[in-house]
Amino acid sequence: MKKVGLFLLAVMFILGVAGSSWAGDTLAAAKKRGVLVCGVKDSTKPFGFIDEKTSSIVGYDVDFCAAIAKKLGVRLELKPVTSSTRMPDLATGKIDLIAATMTKNEERAKQIDFSYMYFYTEQRFLTRKGTVKTLADLAGKKIGTSKGSMSEQHAKKALPTATILSFDDYPPAFLALQQGRVAAVTTDESILVGLMNATKDRNNYEIPNIQISKEPYGLGMRKGDANFVNFVNKTILAMEKSGEADKIYRKWFPGNRLFTITDKQ
Ligand code: GLU
């Protein structure tokens, strides 16, 4: 009984720490350790995915992590996260920074701090060509997305009569579309394009002109970790100014960037 009591006390302590402000200083801790641990996706092209040649994780989000680690003068360590594990992994100290296609919004900002916006996209649908023209075409249908994402929440609101199936990640949701088990996959357009481009039968799919939300991405940090948040914000503003942010964008995306990194958003 005594042991159970102690265990409960320990759990309550951990939850208490996770739920309130972070007392530590990640900036100082990472410098001391000589490593920055970044939580990234590992199967979300072109943000975080495994490069077949090198077997390492590469992508737009990874390049931001690398630039921040470089500025800090420490080694970068990447840890794969999913939409549902990234916030718990940050709270428990498994990672120092989330760079994982994560939308910054007020709801999430109650639990973690965000950097300025470093990428912008919108939520849409990926469908078989010619099957969906308007949102109404998806009413009552099965739609795949990822667990723990905004995509899941927005889809439920936009399509209350549809059945939203939440997979562990986006590739299994896309597989369900390829196998005819769902009528669409929904998430950020930037992710849908990555899924579509990676398939051999790309021409059988399309992203109809149906937008259901705005998705500004932010880098996630522990709540109250002010020195680190300031450092990350300063770094990405400097990357904007020097042209490095644009260079990273052009490495991974065709066409011009339609947003800039500013201290306004
Ligand atoms: N940007 C959305 C989100 O943060 C969808 C992409 C994702 O699941 O990472 O929830």
Side-chain angles (χ1 to χ4, degrees), residues 43-146:
S43 47
T44 305
K45 271 185 180 165
F47 294 92
F49 64 99
I50 296 172
D51 177 13
E52 278 170 22
K53 276 189 217 130
T54 62
S55 298
S56 51
I57 308 175
V58 297
Y60 181 85
D61 282 339
V62 175
D63 284 350
F64 272 80
C65 290
I68 292 162
K70 190 175 169 201
K71 184 86 187 156
L72 205 56
V74 298
R75 185 171 62 82
L76 173 65
E77 188 180 320
L78 300 172
K79 282 210 178 134
V81 294
T82 65
S83 303
S84 58
T85 64
R86 59 194 164 191
M87 297 228 313
D89 282 356
L90 182 69
T92 54
K94 209 169 153 191
I95 55 174
D96 297 318
L97 180 72
I98 301 172
T101 66
M102 190 172 193
T103 299
K104 61 184 278 191
N105 59 32
E106 278 175 24
E107 196 52 38
R108 287 173 173 167
K110 285 180 192 155
Q111 285 174 272
I112 64 172
D113 280 342
F114 283 105
S115 71
Y116 301 132
M117 180 190 87
Y118 73 102
F119 188 83
Y120 178 80
T121 183
E122 295 169 346
Q123 184 173 342
R124 290 176 191 264
F125 297 86
L126 174 59
T127 60
R128 282 201 170 267
K129 211 171 236 176
T131 58
V132 173
K133 292 231 148 39
T134 66
L135 196 59
D137 294 331
L138 288 167
K141 297 276 166 59
K142 283 187 185 147
I143 296 169
T145 188
S146 173

Side-chain angles (χ1 to χ4, degrees), residues 41 83 86 100-103 108 146 148-151 170 187-188 191 215 217:
K41 298 283 184 88
S83 303
R86 59 194 164 191
T101 66
M102 190 172 193
T103 299
R108 287 173 173 167
S146 173
S149 64
M150 291 315 299
S151 319
Y170 296 105
T187 186
D188 305 338
I191 297 175
E215 306 289 327
Y217 290 0

Side-chain angles (χ1 to χ4, degrees), residues 177-254:
L177 176 66
Q178 290 174 303
Q179 295 175 339
R181 289 184 282 127
V182 296
V185 176
T186 189
T187 186
D188 305 338
E189 183 178 17
S190 50
I191 297 175
L192 296 177
V193 170
L195 286 170
M196 191 165 74
N197 286 344
T199 166
K200 284 193 191 89
D201 57 346
R202 188 197 183 288
N203 288 333
N204 294 333
Y205 299 94
E206 66 182 353
I207 299 170
N209 193 15
I210 309 166
Q211 178 232 322
I212 60 168
S213 73
K214 296 180 181 346
E215 306 289 327
Y217 290 0
L219 301 164
M221 287 156 280
R222 282 176 279 268
K223 190 123 200 94
D225 201 356
N227 286 343
F228 190 45
V229 174
N230 287 340
F231 176 83
V232 167
N233 275 335
K234 262 195 204 151
T235 304
I236 65 172
L237 282 181
M239 288 167 72
E240 179 66 45
K241 219 171 159 196
S242 70
E244 190 182 352
D246 194 55
K247 204 169 140 202
I248 294 174
Y249 183 90
R250 281 188 281 109
K251 181 171 158 194
W252 299 108
F253 300 96

